[in-house]
Amino acid sequence: MTESATALDSPCEALRTQLRRHAAEVPSQNGLCAEFSTMLEALEDPFERSRVAGHFTGSAWLVSADGRRALLTHHRKLERWLQLGGHADGDRDLAQVALREAQEESGLEDLVLESPAIFDLDKHWIPARGQVEGHWHYDVRYVVRARGSEQYAISEESLALAWRDIEALADDPDGDPSLQRMARRWLARR
């Protein structure tokens, strides 16, 4: 194996390891862990959005310094309140993708990746829009914590941003199911 092939495989092996650990820690996501692992074997690069069958994204469960609130975006294209995140665009380190997207979409500077461990997985359908066909996002989510100012700046990807109480998110009957799941998982950790 060439040095360049080894360099490409290393982040994929790290993600495989993360997925195995997540499956052991969160048995309810075993099926998703297996499906996400299978994506790593795809002939077409699953870290590129050009893979129409579906591709990896990285998202941040961005919590306040005290861990009581999460920063959410009112997503411009999907018109729903969601966690911050986005496309890998070739980056195989999805934890770094999540951190980068959180910084870009919030304008917050003093953010830290709390752990390289996966916090949550979600596979969701993105409807066709303009020239872009409908496709699947294989979203790998990590905990990111705000350590400094919580004064955010709204990016062009958002209609709005808001710090939301995590307990309220967990109990919101009209909330996004994946946000409820992450809020409940977060509260169970405290």
Side-chain angles (χ1 to χ4, degrees), residues 83-126:
Q83 75 289 338
L84 303 170
H87 290 97
D89 290 329
D91 190 342
R92 288 167 157 62
D93 186 341
L94 295 177
Q96 288 304 307
V97 170
L99 180 60
R100 181 184 68 236
E101 291 290 330
Q103 291 167 330
E104 289 175 2
E105 293 181 14
S106 71
L108 297 174
E109 294 180 13
D110 197 7
L111 300 180
V112 63
L113 184 67
E114 193 154 278
S115 165
I118 294 170
F119 177 63
D120 186 65
L121 296 173
D122 194 71
K123 178 184 172 187
H124 50 268
W125 180 253
I126 302 297

Side-chain angles (χ1 to χ4, degrees), residues 1-13 92:
M1 183 177 291
T2 67
E3 187 176 321
S4 61
T6 304
L8 287 177
D9 288 344
S10 180
C12 290
E13 282 309 312
R92 288 167 157 62

Side-chain angles (χ1 to χ4, degrees), residues 11-188:
C12 290
E13 282 309 312
L15 183 54
R16 275 189 192 89
T17 299
Q18 288 177 7
L19 288 165
R20 280 192 298 272
R21 287 182 183 149
H22 187 70
E25 293 171 9
V26 186
S28 63
Q29 294 207 313
N30 280 347
L32 281 175
C33 288
E35 190 172 349
F36 280 47
S37 292
T38 300
M39 282 279 292
L40 292 170
E41 308 303 324
L43 293 177
E44 201 176 347
D45 189 348
F47 294 91
E48 294 288 350
R49 69 174 84 193
S50 59
R51 184 177 185 276
V52 180
H55 44 263
F56 286 118
T57 55
S59 289
W61 177 246
L62 177 50
V63 296
S64 57
D66 65 7
R68 294 182 181 178
R69 291 165 291 124
L71 186 63
L72 301 181
T73 176
H74 191 200
H75 197 277
R76 183 173 299 281
K77 291 179 184 174
L78 298 176
E79 297 183 359
R80 295 174 24 211
W81 284 98
L82 300 169
Q83 75 289 338
L84 303 170
H87 290 97
D89 290 329
D91 190 342
R92 288 167 157 62
D93 186 341
L94 295 177
Q96 288 304 307
V97 170
L99 180 60
R100 181 184 68 236
E101 291 290 330
Q103 291 167 330
E104 289 175 2
E105 293 181 14
S106 71
L108 297 174
E109 294 180 13
D110 197 7
L111 300 180
V112 63
L113 184 67
E114 193 154 278
S115 165
I118 294 170
F119 177 63
D120 186 65
L121 296 173
D122 194 71
K123 178 184 172 187
H124 50 268
W125 180 253
I126 302 297
R129 183 177 168 93
Q131 300 278 9
V132 179
E133 296 179 38
H135 58 277
W136 290 101
H137 275 182
Y138 292 78
D139 197 29
V140 183
R141 297 158 174 190
Y142 299 86
V143 175
V144 173
R145 191 176 292 264
R147 296 191 307 182
S149 170
E150 293 181 4
Q151 191 63 39
Y152 53 76
I154 300 170
S155 75
E156 62 186 40
E157 295 185 32
S158 300
L159 295 170
L161 294 173
W163 286 103
R164 300 279 308 276
D165 179 79
I166 294 174
E167 287 186 14
L169 286 173
D171 295 331
D172 183 357
D174 299 321
D176 180 88
S178 74
L179 287 179
Q180 289 176 329
R181 181 181 64 243
M182 288 189 292
R184 290 178 183 139
R185 184 167 296 143
W186 180 255
L187 293 172

